[in-house]
Amino acid sequence: MYNNENRHNNQRNRPRPVSEYEEKIVDVARVTRVVKGGRRMRFRVLVVIGNKKGRIGAGIAKGSEVPTAMRKAIETAKKKMLDVVITDSGSIPHETRARYSASEIVLFPAPEGSSLVSGGTARTVLELAGYKNIVSKSLGSNNKLNCVFATLEALENLKKRNLTQ
């Protein structure tokens, strides 16, 4: 006969598919919508994914449960992937700055061995992109969502040229 217990064990023991991208959850927020019968709770998730070799993406999604919102955010991030420039020293070719809403981020190239000098969500984005030596400064609002998108915009503004240092 049909054994219900085995079905659940098979689902739990099944190996998860290995993704080529590393994922980091930057922000989980409970958002509320007021309706006639009361309040409706949903979850907003901001996820940054990257392969640490020059491909990075960020996605934001809402769902009635956190895992649902996470899955949607990861799918959104995969659709909005960005190829970034990384020099031989693991830095950026030139200084760049970008503004997203009230957040502004400034990225400076750093010499080899100086490591990643960055704080907050910009550090997460830069790590997942694959940068090893870079200095960043966040100005204005420190809203996680705006900082992530400002960092991505700054990386997108980098000039793509011959990178031999």
Side-chain angles (χ1 to χ4, degrees), residues 21-151:
Y21 300 110
E22 193 175 316
E23 308 155 359
K24 284 209 178 160
I25 300 165
V26 175
D27 188 33
V28 177
R30 193 179 80 176
V31 292
T32 308
R33 180 177 64 193
V34 179
V35 292
K36 186 175 160 186
R39 294 185 178 99
R40 290 261 165 90
M41 307 288 186
R42 294 172 81 193
F43 294 93
R44 184 191 70 203
V45 176
L46 174 63
V47 174
V48 177
I49 64 171
N51 66 353
K52 295 191 174 186
K53 295 176 189 165
R55 284 190 53 80
I56 187 85
I60 186 166
K62 292 179 192 165
S64 56
E65 297 172 357
V66 175
T68 308
M70 271 178 45
R71 192 179 68 252
K72 285 175 164 181
I74 291 168
E75 287 173 15
T76 306
K78 284 182 180 176
K79 288 178 188 172
K80 296 181 179 182
M81 292 300 285
L82 182 69
D83 287 318
V84 295
V85 180
I86 301 176
T87 62
D88 296 337
S89 63
S91 188
I92 54 176
H94 57 85
E95 179 185 327
T96 182
R97 66 181 348 160
R99 190 174 186 87
Y100 186 89
S101 190
S103 293
E104 186 174 359
I105 191 103
V106 187
L107 301 177
F108 302 99
E112 198 160 353
S114 59
S115 183
L116 186 62
V117 182
S118 179
T121 56
R123 183 180 197 89
T124 306
V125 173
L126 296 170
E127 277 178 354
L128 289 176
Y131 290 104
K132 302 281 185 259
N133 303 299
I134 194 167
V135 176
S136 78
K137 178 66 184 162
S138 180
L139 306 167
S141 170
N142 62 352
N143 178 300
K144 290 179 182 180
L145 209 130
N146 291 339
C147 283
V148 165
F149 288 115
T151 307

